[in-house]
Amino acid sequence: MDVSVGQRQLQEFSLASVSELASSASTSASTASLPAIAHFFADCGCGSSQLRLQRENESSYFASLHLGTSHLFKLGPVQSVCVDEGSNACNEKSYSRAFTLLFNKEKDSRDFHYSFEQWKKDVNQGSNLPDRIIPSSKSKFDEKIESSSAKMYFHYYGQLLHQQNMLQDYVRTGTYYAAVMENRDDFSGRVVVDVGAGSGILSLFAAQAGAKHVYAVEASEMAEYARKLIAGNPHLGDRITVVKGKVEEIELPEKADILISEPMGTLLVNERMLESYVIARDRFLAPEGKMFPAAGRIHMAPFSDEYLFVEIANKALFWQQASYYGVNLTPLHESAFQGNYSQPVVDAFDPRLLVASPVFHVIDFTKVKEEDLYEIDIPLKFIAAVGTRVHGLACWFDVLFNGSTVQRWLTTAPGAPTTHWYQLRCVLSQPLYVMAGQEITGRLHMIAHNAQSYTIHLTLSTKMWGPGAEQGGILQTSSGKLDLKEPYYRMSQSQAYTVPQDQHQSLQPQDVNIPIHDTEESEPLEQLPQNSGSHFS
Ligand SMILES: C[S@@+](CC[C@H](N)C(=O)[O-])C[C@H]1O[C@@H](n2cnc3c(N)ncnc32)[C@H](O)[C@@H]1O
């Protein structure tokens, strides 16, 4: 329980019993093994923090331990010993003392240990507040992310509406549920950390699968809702501790056997939360521990879509007016035209629009270094399956739950059941002409920026084709610079995309047998999740 009293921060725990380890200075009241209440106090009058012990139904404290000089050791699931080395704090000399603490439940013991470590960390860093969101020294998160971006980001995730949008993506949530339940052995009796727990749903799944204990780490105000949801499911909640804070900043009392998280944004990497997942791995995962998911792949293929190309070009037509209330708007036409192409398009498209077999880039979450995600450079090489105009690069991702029992992929591929991520297309303002069998080369170069997203540099080129091609070089090149943070959500368009007749005749895309995903069956486009205007995740 947390209470705020005036300037002081006070946190209290009920203990089944507390007894002082015998010393000459101890009184009979403190050595007796009786129920007690432990209070964490910030600022006991001289600026230092204390752990104070009080017998139930008594108004005074029988012991005060200075957190700066105290250490807590676990003796068993519900038993710990707390040792204060003694100090000169508060201008008075105190001698070393030790207390055996017996908790009512294992969860109480974990919560107490967690709070103890938090308060101690605060003392060491010179702050008196536990669960601090802003540390005295900048965390890895704060070093690389602009504070205004982080503020908006956590404000967004702090709202139930947006968590509901993710929960109502049944492809997403159902795949997580299946992956956890099918792999109970990976969770049963294990310590789990849920990285970015949101509403706490994945923590509850892990507890359902028999986790020994789950630490649900959530930085936004959603942590309070997660506490509420978890408390409302007491048979599971008993094994879950919600930790409010960033994974880059919080401390946990023990290592995890398995991390569970849903850190994927549009194009897998948007939001830069994968970096937090990797940081959590390095900070909290025991050697040989598992990650759910363990890997992700970005899939890419060139596409042809005259409708989309024209639609984007036409958006700038407004700026071609020579007399808008008597004002010539045309000087801004070119800027508006280019600006529209700098927005990656997010929607669900028909996979028949792909003009070549996709390639993929793997990110192994268990091995990748956090810094490796700052810049992602993917060389591209395709063979066009049809003769057509190429309008850009289509991208989607999947992630792997590498369970000990069952391996399961969550895919966002076109043609597969639609998720709230849809797919993403980078449209080039200058299309390329290709012939069937012609090689398309290029590069997708993504550079992370401090607004939790990436600048995308895309280049596609067509190579010489046919007899004598080996002597030839690049025929045509088209490039674009896009901001992944500013997508164009194209959800109002018809989802059952009809390929125009003339395109059918020239491309015959239905003849192209393109394998779009490896393990899951392709199904026709399904209903879209609610609230399709989501701008994160
Ligand atoms: C995509 S949501 C997933 C929520 C939930 N796990 C689920 O599957 O429904 C990601 C969550 O992670 C939280 N988050 C993002 N970065 C974080 C960080 N560095 N530390 C703690 N939480 C973070 C966000 O606030 C958000 O609630």
Side-chain angles (χ1 to χ4, degrees), residues 507-522:
L507 303 179
Q508 298 180 341
Q510 65 272 41
D511 297 335
V512 184
N513 184 15
I514 297 170
I516 49 167
H517 32 101
D518 305 320
T519 52
E520 292 190 332
E521 281 171 27
S522 174

Side-chain angles (χ1 to χ4, degrees), residues 112-419:
F112 183 85
H113 272 257
Y114 168 69
S115 291
F116 187 91
E117 293 310 324
Q118 284 290 107
W119 279 84
K120 235 183 119 57
K121 187 177 157 219
D122 289 324
V123 169
N124 294 338
Q125 291 184 351
S127 162
N128 286 321
L129 305 177
D131 263 0
R132 285 168 310 105
I133 301 298
I134 303 160
S136 46
S137 62
K138 273 195 164 187
S139 72
K140 204 144 200 194
F141 185 97
D142 292 345
E143 269 171 17
K144 64 186 182 190
I145 303 299
E146 215 175 61
S147 66
S148 58
S149 169
K151 201 171 164 196
M152 268 175 63
Y153 178 75
F154 290 120
H155 175 74
Y156 175 93
Y157 278 124
Q159 296 171 54
L160 273 178
L161 169 75
H162 300 302
Q163 298 287 338
Q164 180 181 340
N165 185 41
M166 292 183 288
L167 297 178
Q168 283 184 316
D169 177 346
Y170 294 103
V171 177
R172 177 202 89 115
T173 312
T175 306
Y176 267 87
Y177 182 76
V180 171
M181 293 307 158
E182 286 163 347
N183 292 293
R184 281 170 184 272
D185 287 352
D186 293 325
F187 291 88
S188 188
R190 314 278 176 174
V191 174
V192 182
V193 173
D194 180 355
V195 180
S199 62
I201 192 72
L202 302 182
S203 299
L204 289 156
F205 289 176
Q208 281 182 30
K212 182 164 104 186
H213 203 81
V214 188
Y215 295 95
V217 184
E218 172 58 41
S220 77
E221 289 306 310
M222 190 49 53
E224 303 304 335
Y225 290 102
R227 280 190 178 127
K228 221 168 164 179
L229 186 66
I230 285 161
N233 290 270
H235 60 298
L236 302 169
D238 254 11
R239 286 175 284 128
I240 303 173
T241 301
V242 175
V243 179
K244 187 176 176 190
K246 298 191 191 101
V247 284
E248 291 83 352
E249 295 167 10
I250 56 108
E251 299 296 335
L252 294 177
E254 59 190 320
K255 290 279 182 193
D257 301 304
I258 180 162
L259 299 188
I260 189 163
S261 186
E262 196 272 78
M264 298 91 75
T266 318
L267 193 54
L268 184 61
V269 293
N270 191 28
E271 300 176 37
R272 300 186 63 182
M273 194 185 154
L274 278 183
E275 292 162 43
S276 300
Y277 191 31
V278 166
I279 289 173
R281 175 198 70 193
D282 295 342
R283 298 194 67 210
F284 305 125
L285 191 61
E288 311 299 317
K290 272 192 158 296
M291 292 176 83
F292 250 58
R297 299 184 301 186
I298 300 173
H299 299 257
M300 296 144 288
F303 71 92
S304 180
D305 190 341
E306 292 293 343
Y307 281 163
L308 176 61
F309 179 74
V310 170
E311 181 188 322
I312 294 177
N314 282 352
K315 283 207 291 181
L317 279 181
F318 170 82
W319 298 98
Q320 273 193 337
Q321 297 179 79
S323 182
Y324 173 80
Y325 295 106
V327 176
N328 178 11
L329 297 182
T330 57
L332 294 183
H333 175 258
E334 181 58 22
S335 307
F337 182 83
Q338 292 304 336
N340 291 335
Y341 284 98
S342 73
Q343 287 190 280
V345 176
V346 176
D347 69 353
F349 66 84
D350 190 316
R352 287 174 297 177
L353 296 174
L354 300 178
V355 301
S357 294
V359 297
F360 62 80
H361 173 81
V362 180
I363 301 178
D364 183 344
F365 304 150
T366 67
K367 294 204 175 78
V368 71
K369 292 199 197 91
E370 188 229 342
E371 304 80 54
D372 293 345
L373 296 168
Y374 295 178
E375 195 174 334
I376 300 169
D377 202 0
I378 309 172
L380 302 170
K381 192 169 162 183
F382 307 97
I383 302 295
V386 287
T388 186
R389 287 207 324 162
V390 170
H391 294 107
L393 190 74
C395 309
W396 61 94
F397 69 85
D398 52 21
V399 293
L400 170 67
F401 299 100
N402 193 15
S404 311
T405 313
V406 176
Q407 282 199 338
R408 184 176 275 275
W409 289 89
L410 167 57
T411 180
T412 65
T418 308
T419 69

Side-chain angles (χ1 to χ4, degrees), residues 92-124:
E92 61 181 56
K93 187 157 182 68
S94 65
Y95 296 94
S96 58
R97 301 178 80 177
F99 293 85
T100 305
L101 314 177
L102 195 65
F103 298 92
N104 291 305
K105 290 185 291 195
E106 198 174 343
K107 178 173 166 37
D108 294 352
S109 161
R110 282 171 192 274
D111 289 352
F112 183 85
H113 272 257
Y114 168 69
S115 291
F116 187 91
E117 293 310 324
Q118 284 290 107
W119 279 84
K120 235 183 119 57
K121 187 177 157 219
D122 289 324
V123 169
N124 294 338

